Amino acid sequence: MDPKFRVDVLNQTVHPQTLVWFALHQDYSETYVFTENPPNESRAGEVITKRLLAGERGHYGPLEHPSITFSCGFFPHSVMQQARTHRVAVSFDVQSMRYTGNRICQVADGLLDMEDVFYLRPVGTYSDRQGKKYTYTEEHRSEDVILCKAAAQRYCHMVRYLGLAEEHARGILPFDFRQHFVVTFSMRSFLHFMDLRSKLDAQEEIRNLCDLMWPHFAAWAPEIAAWYEKSRLHKARLAP
């Protein structure tokens, strides 16, 4: 995994499993649940996994109430593009290349390391979607570093000296420049995202995103996370 990738939590529902318990309990309770005393957070999680999730019952509605917000940094543009296809109960704000092009010029000026702004995979052996293996060599990567630096210099020249708008000049940049983004998931939408994007044939870099998000989720909702790890993680089971 690229050491620059990072994920931090900006905000999260307090006692998320207790909130899900209230929603679940109201489905079946004849009383007004606000007046009831809930179990503690850990016990609430145990009730949820037993009554909602065990046996793939598919009653995911109560999981829509808690939410968690991540700050995701230094991921390639391709990851943001894939992640942003998920729009149901998911909200994004993404670093715009119309307004943040100065970092490209800083690369051209030698003030920022090229790999702070552009993403290239590490040297190594990879496989395509059909399982065919290939090697990305040091020579290949060195050539790509040169191309990225040249693109940064051309971009800077276009903006500074030719007067082009940033949204025009960005068209010549390598596709996988790095982008930061903020994303908020409901608990249900996060698990759905994990179903699709942590599966073993997903693109490596978006799996890295999932791997960095997951410990935060597990600390936030440990009983639900333990159920998911046992029954669904990496298994490409699509949640309803």
Side-chain angles (χ1 to χ4, degrees):
M1 184 186 301
D2 188 298
K4 296 183 187 298
F5 293 170
R6 64 177 295 175
V7 172
D8 297 283
V9 174
L10 288 175
N11 197 20
Q12 59 192 20
T13 300
V14 178
H15 307 310
Q17 297 179 143
T18 301
L19 177 57
V20 174
W21 180 89
F22 272 118
L24 162 66
H25 194 52
Q26 188 64 89
D27 286 343
Y28 304 103
S29 177
E30 297 192 34
T31 64
Y32 182 49
V33 295
F34 182 79
T35 63
E36 297 194 24
N37 292 320
N40 63 36
E41 179 72 1
S42 178
R43 177 58 184 156
E46 293 172 2
V47 171
I48 292 160
T49 58
K50 181 178 180 180
R51 295 187 60 186
L52 283 186
L53 305 175
E56 298 294 328
R57 290 186 177 89
H59 186 182
Y60 290 87
L63 300 181
E64 294 173 9
H65 296 284
S67 65
I68 186 167
T69 302
F70 298 105
S71 179
C72 306
F74 301 95
F75 285 91
H77 179 68
S78 57
V79 166
M80 185 280 296
Q81 291 281 74
Q82 293 175 68
R84 211 173 181 186
T85 63
H86 301 271
R87 304 298 300 175
V88 178
V90 188
S91 297
F92 286 90
D93 278 278
V94 179
Q95 184 179 34
S96 171
M97 284 302 293
R98 293 186 72 190
Y99 303 103
T100 62
N102 184 57
R103 59 201 176 105
I104 308 297
C105 289
Q106 288 181 301
V107 171
D109 294 338
L111 300 176
L112 268 181
D113 183 74
M114 185 279 296
E115 296 203 45
D116 286 337
V117 177
F118 297 100
Y119 171 75
L120 295 172
R121 280 187 170 180
V123 169
T125 300
Y126 298 92
S127 60
D128 63 17
R129 290 294 297 273
Q130 287 72 44
K132 181 181 178 182
K133 293 188 180 297
Y134 63 91
T135 300
Y136 185 52
T137 67
E138 191 67 56
E139 181 181 0
H140 296 152
R141 200 173 194 279
S142 296
E143 291 172 352
D144 292 341
V145 167
I146 292 170
L147 286 171
C148 288
K149 289 180 177 178
Q153 291 165 353
R154 176 60 180 165
Y155 172 94
C156 195
H157 179 78
M158 293 166 78
V159 171
R160 282 181 178 171
Y161 303 109
L162 301 182
L164 274 64
E166 288 176 313
E167 63 260 33
H168 186 164
R170 68 182 174 182
I172 58 93
L173 294 174
F175 181 75
D176 265 344
F177 50 83
R178 295 182 188 266
Q179 275 183 304
H180 311 320
F181 56 94
V182 172
V183 57
T184 299
F185 295 94
S186 73
M187 183 181 286
R188 179 179 182 174
S189 65
F190 177 77
L191 294 179
H192 180 78
F193 185 87
M194 291 292 296
D195 283 344
L196 292 172
R197 297 302 182 175
S198 70
K199 61 182 182 177
L200 299 180
D201 68 343
Q203 181 179 316
E204 179 172 327
E205 290 79 9
I206 202 164
R207 286 191 284 114
N208 294 160
L209 173 65
C210 291
D211 290 343
L212 290 172
M213 287 176 166
W214 185 251
H216 296 298
F217 182 88
W220 180 54
E223 282 72 28
I224 293 173
W227 163 80
Y228 187 86
E229 286 184 353
K230 181 178 180 180
S231 62
R232 299 184 72 92
L233 186 62
H234 304 316
K235 295 179 181 179
R237 292 179 176 175
L238 184 61

